[in-house]
Amino acid sequence: MAEGERQSPPGSSEDTPAATQNFIIPKKEIHTVPDMGKWKRSQVPVAYADYIGFILTLNEGVKGKKLTFEYKVSEAIEKLVALLNTLDRWIDETPPMDQPSRFGNKAYRTWYAKLDEEAENLVATVVPTHLAAAVPEVAVYLKESVGNSTRIDYGTGHEAAFAAFLCCLCKIGVLRVDDQIAIVFKVFNRYLEVMRKLQKTYRMEPAGSQGVWGLDDFQFLPFIWGSSQLIDHPYLEPRHFVDEKAVNENHKDYMFLECILFITEMKTGPFAEHSNQLWNISAVPTWSKVNQGLIRMYKAECLEKFPVIQHFKFGSLLPIHPVSLC
């Protein structure tokens, strides 16, 4: 568990018992650039502090561990994987349409409409009945996590919504402290698989300016957590992730290398040209420095960028305003 963080660890009890909390439907609160100040307050119990604390806690939890590491899998984790399996099955049931434009297949909108309709029912399969009042609030983050149905695009803001979805499940006690490794290795990794399938099946566009907010056009968090996995590795160094042989031999053990493999499958040409930011990162001497640098970059290029955070939604679990304890 990360030391020195202000946030409560995943699954810890909150000041307000979840069962008696007044849940609300999350909504957008960042409408102009000056509104970003409300989001970035880190000294009070608001969304930014809770969200980044959650990311850092999981970052510490997976440090030095392979994806094949043995870890506890709770009933809640299994239910979340089943939820993601359902989303995967719906992709198979909604084939791409024949259309003249290469990108943004409109069948995605049919797939998304099904999620929009069923999201609360899906979340209700994960959340116990005594916490049923939380379902509408938590379900919003699930719907926000799979891309935009108007633009048929996906980016780090959508990825952040899924992390927020998991963070909310921790805050109401569905996920607990001993679920940390499984949250990343089993749930988030399955989410990545489904998102990659969505991206490929419906030819989704990168959100933002040609994916400028992501390291591989779409994702960021698996690079943070994946680099933490590789800290103090006996022989794999950052320079090795641009080596095809090293990636092919180790990608099933490390999320970072799985990301690199996906990039090389989706893009052609020299790696230094199509993934210049990652190419530069490969020159960093240690995984610890890579991890620290990526966390700084994530804060600066994703969490503190108005085009990303303007879409984030705030409710009672991830509030934009300080929570009154009176």
Side-chain angles (χ1 to χ4, degrees):
M1 176 110 20
E3 295 295 329
E5 292 300 322
R6 183 213 60 79
Q7 88 291 349
S8 303
S12 66
S13 60
E14 298 294 309
D15 292 305
T16 304
T20 60
Q21 184 169 333
N22 291 320
F23 296 101
I24 59 175
I25 300 298
K27 62 180 182 178
K28 294 181 182 180
E29 297 276 5
I30 307 295
H31 303 293
T32 64
V33 173
D35 288 338
M36 288 293 287
K38 294 186 291 185
W39 159 247
K40 290 188 285 187
R41 290 190 197 101
S42 59
Q43 296 83 13
V44 291
V46 292
Y48 183 93
D50 284 343
Y51 178 85
I52 196 63
F54 178 68
I55 299 303
L56 295 178
T57 298
L58 296 179
N59 185 65
E60 190 69 18
V62 300
K63 183 177 177 181
K65 296 179 177 69
K66 294 182 178 182
L67 288 169
T68 49
F69 176 84
E70 288 192 16
Y71 51 86
K72 173 184 176 290
V73 179
S74 67
E75 184 180 357
I77 293 291
E78 294 285 16
K79 287 178 177 178
L80 280 166
V81 172
L83 183 157
L84 292 166
N85 290 343
T86 297
L87 301 187
D88 190 314
R89 188 182 75 249
W90 288 351
I91 300 172
D92 295 334
E93 295 170 357
T94 316
M97 298 168 56
D98 288 329
Q99 62 180 51
S101 58
R102 181 183 174 195
F103 290 99
N105 193 282
K106 293 176 182 177
Y108 170 79
R109 292 175 179 154
T110 303
W111 179 91
Y112 183 87
K114 191 170 183 67
L115 172 59
D116 190 42
E117 181 181 344
E118 295 292 332
E120 290 190 16
N121 291 334
L122 289 172
V123 173
T125 66
V126 178
V127 175
T129 53
H130 73 280
L131 294 171
V135 167
E137 178 168 344
V138 177
V140 168
Y141 293 104
L142 178 64
K143 289 190 286 186
E144 292 287 313
S145 73
V146 297
N148 183 278
S149 61
T150 302
R151 299 186 301 271
I152 314 181
D153 66 5
Y154 176 95
T156 51
H158 303 109
E159 177 190 69
F162 190 75
F165 168 68
L166 297 173
C167 183
C168 287
L169 291 175
C170 287
K171 294 192 79 169
I172 63 175
V174 172
L175 295 172
R176 301 185 178 278
V177 173
D178 56 2
D179 287 319
Q180 283 182 36
I181 298 171
I183 287 171
V184 179
F185 287 0
K186 198 156 184 75
V187 178
F188 191 82
N189 211 37
R190 184 70 182 107
Y191 164 76
L192 279 180
E193 291 171 353
V194 177
M195 292 308 101
R196 287 167 179 157
K197 188 172 179 178
L198 275 180
Q199 292 154 19
K200 288 192 289 186
T201 302
Y202 302 120
R203 303 289 295 179
M204 298 179 77
E205 296 267 24
S209 177
Q210 299 177 346
V212 69
W213 314 119
L215 292 170
D216 68 348
D217 290 350
F218 296 108
Q219 314 294 158
F220 204 114
L221 289 176
F223 291 97
I224 293 178
W225 294 330
S227 61
S228 181
Q229 285 183 272
L230 285 155
I231 289 174
D232 296 329
H233 194 281
Y235 60 87
L236 284 175
E237 299 173 8
R239 63 188 175 88
H240 289 122
F241 78 72
V242 293
D243 179 87
E244 184 178 351
K245 183 173 182 288
V247 171
N248 287 335
E249 290 177 353
N250 296 281
H251 70 92
K252 291 182 180 178
D253 286 328
Y254 298 102
M255 189 177 286
F256 194 106
L257 301 183
E258 188 68 36
C259 289
I260 300 299
L261 183 67
F262 182 69
I263 291 170
T264 57
E265 289 174 350
M266 297 299 290
K267 296 187 175 185
T268 56
F271 191 92
E273 292 181 12
H274 63 61
S275 300
N276 186 253
Q277 285 193 87
L278 284 168
W279 176 262
N280 292 335
I281 289 169
S282 72
V284 176
T286 68
W287 285 111
S288 180
K289 287 189 178 296
V290 169
N291 186 246
Q292 294 165 13
L294 286 175
I295 290 168
R296 289 194 299 270
M297 185 179 172
Y298 185 61
K299 291 176 180 178
E301 298 300 328
C302 296
L303 300 186
E304 296 175 8
K305 283 288 191 286
F306 175 73
V308 177
I309 298 304
Q310 66 175 325
H311 301 294
F312 198 90
K313 293 185 177 179
F314 303 87
S316 71
L317 295 168
L318 291 172
I320 189 71
H321 303 291
V323 177
S324 172
L325 300 180
C326 299

